[in-house]
Amino acid sequence: MNKRKGLRVFAPATVANVAVGYDVLGFALDKPGDELVVREGSKPGLVIKSIHGNSGLSKEIHKNTAGYAAFRLMESLGYEKEAVEIELYKKMGIGTGLGSSAASAVAGVFAVNEFFGRPYSKDQLLRFATDAEQIADGSWHADNVAPSLLGSIILIRDNASMDYVKLPVPEGLRVVILYPKISVLTKKSRAILKQEISLDLHIKQSANLGAFVAALYKSDLALMSRSLTDHIIEPQRAGLIPQFAALKALAMESHALACSISGAGPSIFALTDNTVKADNVLNVWTRFMSDKAMDFDVFISKINTEGAKVF
Ligand code: HSE
């Protein structure tokens, strides 16, 4: 073991599903993201010393995605009796649709792996983070944890075996995020979904997912725009997000390539092919939300190709 003194890491927020890849597609943002400090503890075992950012999260290892992911890593290395303490700095709320629990899980496992001298590759950390993400919403899907850990746009070919593909990110893409300040719990947002879909919808959605992946490899943003229509999940979840249809129409009128729900919502995202159009979307959304006196946060980000990092 080649233990380091102490360090601070960053794990980014993510947009899961990306309109056409429910539970199998996600990308990382430059900001926001959770930060986590790890250092030698004063007693054997892993301790969550503090959680900053008023999240209401538990400091119990098995109820906290950062703690649980880090614990599973230590267990797998046979280091569970090592004295380690972590401090979590939550930079985003719970139930925002931006992968808050996943960012914490990634920060926890990534930081502790670095602390122990990086015994595992990032790739090998994915399973621990996904395991921990499961305690947040009760289901096994890596569409937030994988991009938060690895960066870029990730397609999970098979969640069970963690078989994933890191997809190319075309130049110039900008993401505009609108977070209406209401909380939508992922569990609830998953529970409302129908368990069966028609063959017709399957054909439309799988064609769009395939075309989206092709668009990334070809850097064909017109094809990307035509592909990013969600025929299955967005129509079922749109009602959870006040004014979703109006906000989407405003983004598309401002020449966004696409607009849909980020993860389980309530955040929504728009993709644009340059910063001017991203600014336009940001401005129309800001005016609309302010006119309606709705509380919100809006920002522009690039797609983060690096993922979790030490800083
Ligand atoms: N794919 C997940 C969902 C992301 O849409 O429920 C949220 O964690």
Side-chain angles (χ1 to χ4, degrees), residues 15-41:
V15 169
N17 302 337
V18 199
V20 291
Y22 177 68
D23 276 1
V24 300
L25 207 55
F27 61 74
L29 298 171
D30 273 344
K31 58 177 182 187
D34 283 351
E35 292 171 19
L36 189 137
V37 172
V38 58
R39 62 173 79 86
E40 182 102 44

Side-chain angles (χ1 to χ4, degrees), residues 104-239:
S104 295
V106 168
V109 75
F110 179 71
V112 171
N113 189 55
E114 289 292 315
F115 178 70
F116 284 120
R118 203 178 301 157
Y120 287 134
S121 67
K122 264 192 173 183
D123 199 42
Q124 292 170 308
L125 298 181
L126 190 52
R127 181 161 292 278
F128 304 112
T130 311
D131 228 6
E133 165 78 323
Q134 205 182 5
I135 61 176
D137 69 18
S139 45
W140 178 269
H141 53 92
D143 52 341
N144 290 110
V145 286
S148 181
L149 181 64
L150 306 157
S152 194
I153 306 173
I154 305 279
L155 171 74
I156 322 281
R157 192 206 59 81
D158 178 47
N159 271 297
S161 61
M162 301 271 97
D163 184 7
Y164 71 85
V165 188
K166 193 169 181 176
L167 300 168
V169 180
E171 286 288 309
L173 267 191
R174 291 291 181 277
V175 190
V176 192
I177 299 284
L178 175 79
Y179 164 44
K181 291 200 178 168
I182 56 164
S183 175
V184 170
L185 291 178
T186 302
K187 252 186 196 164
K188 182 182 162 203
S189 191
R190 294 178 79 81
I192 64 164
L193 299 176
K194 290 187 208 129
Q195 291 303 307
E196 281 169 13
I197 57 162
S198 68
L199 187 57
D200 176 50
L201 288 185
H202 161 72
I203 292 166
K204 286 186 170 137
Q205 197 90 342
S206 55
N208 275 341
L209 177 56
F212 172 67
V213 172
L216 294 177
Y217 279 98
K218 290 165 57 134
S219 273
D220 182 339
L221 298 183
L223 176 61
M224 177 189 292
S225 183
R226 295 199 301 282
S227 311
L228 285 179
T229 298
D230 179 358
H231 293 283
I232 298 174
I233 306 297
E234 185 187 298
Q236 298 183 65
R237 283 179 167 172

